[in-house]
Every structure is written in C-alpha cells, then in structure tokens.
C-alpha cells in the first residue's frame, strides 16, 4: 500500500517536470520564428523573395541562383561595352565623312567663285557697265575676295587641329565665309546682267551646303588636303 502511494507521488511530480521541459523549448522556437519573420519585413523584399526567405532551407541553392543572375548581368554589360565601342567607331567614321563633305563643298564654292569673278572682272575691264555700277561691283568683288581668303585661312587652321571635332568646327566657319563670298558675287553678277544681257552667271547653289556644326568631338587624327 505504501509502495502504491509512493509511485503515485513520483508520477505526480514527474509529469509536471516533463510538461515544464516541453514548454521551455517550443515557446523559444516560436519566438525566434516570429523574430525572423518580423525582420524579413524590414528588408523590403519583393513578395516572391519574402516567401522564399521564409520557406526555403537551402542557402546554397539560393546563392547559385544569385550567381546565375550575376553572370547574366555581366554578359549584358559586356554586350553593352561592345555596342558602345561600335557606336564610338561609327561616330568617328561619321566625322570623317562630314570632313570630306565639307572639303567637297569648299571645292565647289571656290570653283564657282573663280568663274564668276573672272566674268565680272572681264566685263568691268571691257567698260560694259557705267562707272557707278562698276564701282559698286568692284566693292562687292573685293568684299567677296576677302571672305574667300578668310575661308581658306580657316580651312588651313582646321587641318592643324588634332581632333576631328575641332576640325569640323573650323570647317563649319569656313563654309559660312565661302557662302558669304558667293552671295556677294551673286549681287555683283546681278548688277552686271542688268546692263549685259549676254552674261550667264553661275549662282551659288545652297544645296551643296553641308551641316557639320553639330558634330561630336572624338580623339582621332586625320589631315585632308584641299
């Protein structure tokens, strides 16, 4: 009888101990899980990644995915570098084309200038115009000659620059002077044709004008002879 009461007492003492031991583990685990979930909220991750962070248990696999994404990003960066290099190369080629176009424009302008000036000088020297008109024409021709000379100096300056961008800046200024010279010769020839109907002036053609003012400066060396 005493033995039965002793075993009953032992059982009553042991059961609370077991229950107590169990209750000291589970709350701790739940507390850490709550702490973990709460902190993932602070990371401001996308919904997909928040779910993965809570549910996945393989950091190696997640890191593998990260490395694959990094490799794809690097591949895209390498492609971007190649595309950028090609763009720079095309810009340089474009600048060279613009320089050639400007040289052709300058050549045509000078040819027109020389021919019209020869016609004007010949008509004035042959006294086929009045004295007042001749003076006005000579002033226009002299002004045109000054402009064309400045344009030639600007082209010479362009050849001395080391970059195509700088060359294009000087060539653009030279073109302005060349067309101004042709405009003045056009005025002179217009005065001549009023009293000399047989004169056939070669007027400046604005279609040969090229727009090179907006060229991008790049480091490149080229010298084009006029």
């Amino acid at each position: 009888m005493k033995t039965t009461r002793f075993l009953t007492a032992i059982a009553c003492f042991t059961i609370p101990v077991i229950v107590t031991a169990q209750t000291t583990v589970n709350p701790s685990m739940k507390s850490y899980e709550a702490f973990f979930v709460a902190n993932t909220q602070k990371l401001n991750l996308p919904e997909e990644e928040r779910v993965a962070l809570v549910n996945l248990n393989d950091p190696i696999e997640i890191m593998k995915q990260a490395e694959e994404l990094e490799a794809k990003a690097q591949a895209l960066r390498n492609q971007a570098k190649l595309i950028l290099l090609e763009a720079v190369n095309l810009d340089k080629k474009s600048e060279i084309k613009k320089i050639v176009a400007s040289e052709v424009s300058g050549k045509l302008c000078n040819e027109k200038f020389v021919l019209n000036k020869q016609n004007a000088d010949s008509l004035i020297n042959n006294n086929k115009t009045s004295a007042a008109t001749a003076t006005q024409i000579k002033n226009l021709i002299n002004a045109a000659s000054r402009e064309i000379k400045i344009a030639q100096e600007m082209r010479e300056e362009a050849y001395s620059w080391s970059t195509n961008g700088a060359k294009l800046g000087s060539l653009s200024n030279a073109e302005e002077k060349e067309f101004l010279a042709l405009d003045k010769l056009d005025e002179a020839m217009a005065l001549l044709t009023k009293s000399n109907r047989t004169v056939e002036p070669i007027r400046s053609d604005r279609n040969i004008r090229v727009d090179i003012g907006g060229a991008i400066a790049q480091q490149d060396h080229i010298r084009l002879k006029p």
Side-chain angles (χ1 to χ4, degrees), residues 18-205:
I18 295 173
V19 171
T20 302
Q22 290 175 344
T23 54
T24 57
V25 174
N26 288 340
S28 175
M29 293 178 62
K30 290 181 179 179
S31 175
Y32 178 77
E33 182 178 351
F35 171 81
F36 184 75
V37 172
N39 277 276
T40 61
Q41 303 281 342
K42 299 177 183 178
L43 294 176
N44 294 323
L45 295 173
E47 180 63 25
E48 179 183 357
E49 299 303 331
R50 282 203 300 270
V51 172
L53 189 61
V54 173
N55 296 328
L56 296 182
N57 296 311
D58 188 355
I60 295 177
E61 176 60 27
I62 298 173
M63 181 59 69
K64 181 180 178 181
Q65 294 174 7
E67 290 173 350
E68 289 174 352
L69 292 172
E70 185 179 20
K72 289 180 180 179
Q74 185 59 46
L76 289 175
R77 279 192 291 269
N78 292 338
Q79 291 178 14
K81 288 179 181 178
L82 293 176
I83 293 173
L84 181 60
L85 288 175
E86 180 62 19
V88 170
N89 185 47
L90 291 175
D91 276 336
K92 290 182 178 181
K93 290 181 178 180
S94 173
E95 286 181 335
I96 294 173
K97 289 289 187 183
K98 289 176 181 179
I99 290 174
V100 173
S102 179
E103 290 294 280
V104 173
S105 173
K107 177 177 175 290
L108 293 175
C109 285
N110 277 274
E111 289 175 353
K112 292 174 184 292
F113 175 84
V114 169
L115 187 54
N116 271 355
K117 186 174 183 300
Q118 287 175 348
N119 286 338
D121 289 339
S122 176
L123 290 170
I124 293 174
N125 293 333
N126 290 333
N127 296 319
K128 293 185 178 182
T129 59
S130 66
T133 301
T135 299
Q136 189 177 359
I137 291 171
K138 285 180 181 179
N139 288 338
L140 287 168
I141 292 173
N142 289 336
S145 297
R146 286 193 297 271
E147 298 295 344
I148 209 73
K149 181 180 179 182
I150 293 173
Q152 291 171 350
E153 291 172 353
M154 287 179 171
R155 286 189 178 276
E156 285 296 328
E157 179 187 25
Y159 306 143
S160 67
W161 292 112
S162 61
T163 66
N164 285 342
K167 286 182 174 71
L168 289 171
S170 293
L171 291 176
S172 179
N173 293 334
E175 286 183 349
E176 292 293 334
K177 291 296 184 181
E178 287 162 354
F179 277 94
L180 183 58
L182 288 181
D183 285 343
K184 292 185 179 300
L185 271 187
D186 282 349
E187 293 181 47
M189 293 304 297
L191 292 173
L192 282 169
T193 54
K194 287 182 180 179
S195 55
N196 298 272
R197 298 299 180 183
T198 59
V199 175
E200 293 292 338
I202 300 178
R203 301 204 176 270
S204 59
D205 184 1

